[in-house]
Amino acid sequence: MGKGVVIMLIVFISVGILHFISIRMMKVSDNKKQKTRKVFWYFYGVIFTLSAIVNLIEKEELNFIFFIQMIVGILFIILNFLGKIETKPS
């Protein structure tokens, strides 16, 4: 029961922090938002790729799912570099 309460508090605090950041981002200029999105997609691609690599090393067996995850992470990085992952302001 104690572990569940700790996990619940960590989740609530994490969601609160994300909510605070998203509210603050609404007040930021479009230029800064675009740069932040670009950094986010690079970070997301790197984390996705590293997660797949760690899982491949940790499991010590070839699993097709981890290869797909690694390819998708690298794809996020490449598409972001080429400018294909951009949202147009409306």
Side-chain angles (χ1 to χ4, degrees):
M1 174 89 174
K3 289 181 183 178
V5 172
V6 171
I7 292 172
M8 184 182 70
L9 287 175
I10 291 171
V11 169
F12 282 166
I13 291 170
S14 301
V15 169
I17 291 170
L18 287 174
H19 177 68
F20 178 75
I21 291 171
S22 66
I23 294 296
R24 298 279 297 187
M25 285 300 292
M26 288 178 15
K27 299 175 185 175
V28 175
S29 68
D30 287 336
N31 205 10
K32 187 159 180 159
K33 284 181 190 177
Q34 195 67 18
K35 288 180 184 177
T36 305
R37 284 187 196 114
K38 202 163 204 48
V39 169
F40 168 77
W41 284 113
Y42 279 124
F43 180 73
Y44 189 74
V46 167
I47 292 297
F48 216 61
T49 304
L50 287 177
S51 172
I53 291 171
V54 167
N55 282 330
L56 275 172
I57 292 171
E58 188 177 274
K59 302 291 184 193
E60 294 181 355
E61 62 184 40
L62 295 178
N63 196 337
F64 189 66
I65 300 297
F66 298 139
F67 281 117
I68 292 174
Q69 182 180 355
M70 189 168 41
I71 290 169
V72 169
I74 293 170
L75 189 66
F76 278 136
I77 295 169
I78 291 171
L79 288 176
N80 192 26
F81 180 75
L82 295 176
K84 302 295 182 185
I85 304 179
E86 289 184 5
T87 57
K88 306 291 187 249
S90 53

